[in-house]
Amino acid sequence: MTRRRRVPAMAPEDRRAALIAATLPLLREHGTAVSTRQIAEAAGVAEGTIFGVFPDKASLLRAALMSAFDPQPAVDALAAIDTRIELRARLREAVTMLRAGMNANINLIAAPRELMAEDAEFRERMMDSRRRMSAGLALLVEPDRDRLRRSPEATAQLLLMLIAVSVHRDLGQGGEFGDMDDEEIVSVLLDGLLVRPSSIPPTESPS
């Protein structure tokens, strides 16, 4: 009879981090229907161990979601983009990074709505994450404030909306934004949707 491998004893914070790490892949696969038994097996612990660290399953799921949607890595990556490079190139780099992060969490998008309804503090923390992401983008836009019709803050919010719609196709009408690449997202933000007129003058019609 095979014995289930058990992880060695850990400090409470280490145990918490290990449970969150084991929960995230299961949450992406099963959503909030994931069971504590599945989580315990993935973490290599007894099911009761979970409740020695978290008061209930919802608390563990909220902690896992906060880890998945933690904006700090993205904020740090935005801050690392050189603001001396041209605005379009700067934003294209930001879009590539942010889309990759959103795509990684695409299966988690519905879970926060379910859990936020029951926890006002969790809802506020999720909203704060979005504000921090927007603030990081605004700082990236700030050097070109005078070139834009809208403030860096408004520009950042518009860009986040475009990125979200391109990733979560159900937010758009029939997924029409799903085929937008990073370059086009930046172009739509900075240039609008009008096709640029050709530099070649139209041919005169015969008289």
Side-chain angles (χ1 to χ4, degrees), residues 84-100:
R84 294 171 297 182
I85 64 176
E86 197 271 330
L87 176 63
R88 194 175 300 267
R90 218 183 305 152
L91 292 182
R92 188 166 56 244
E93 189 174 339
V95 168
T96 299
M97 181 269 296
L98 291 172
R99 285 184 90 189

Side-chain angles (χ1 to χ4, degrees), residues 87-88 90-92 94-95 137-138 140-141 147-163 177 180-194 196:
L87 176 63
R88 194 175 300 267
R90 218 183 305 152
L91 292 182
R92 188 166 56 244
V95 168
L137 266 177
L140 193 63
V141 172
R147 298 174 59 199
L148 299 168
R149 287 183 295 176
R150 297 285 179 175
S151 68
E153 292 74 21
T155 302
Q157 290 173 21
L158 285 169
L159 184 55
L160 281 176
M161 287 169 57
L162 283 171
I163 297 170
F177 291 97
M180 292 176 70
D181 60 18
D182 301 343
E183 183 83 36
E184 187 176 5
I185 288 174
V186 174
S187 178
V188 168
L189 178 75
L190 297 180
D191 306 321
L193 288 173
L194 286 177
R196 292 184 177 184

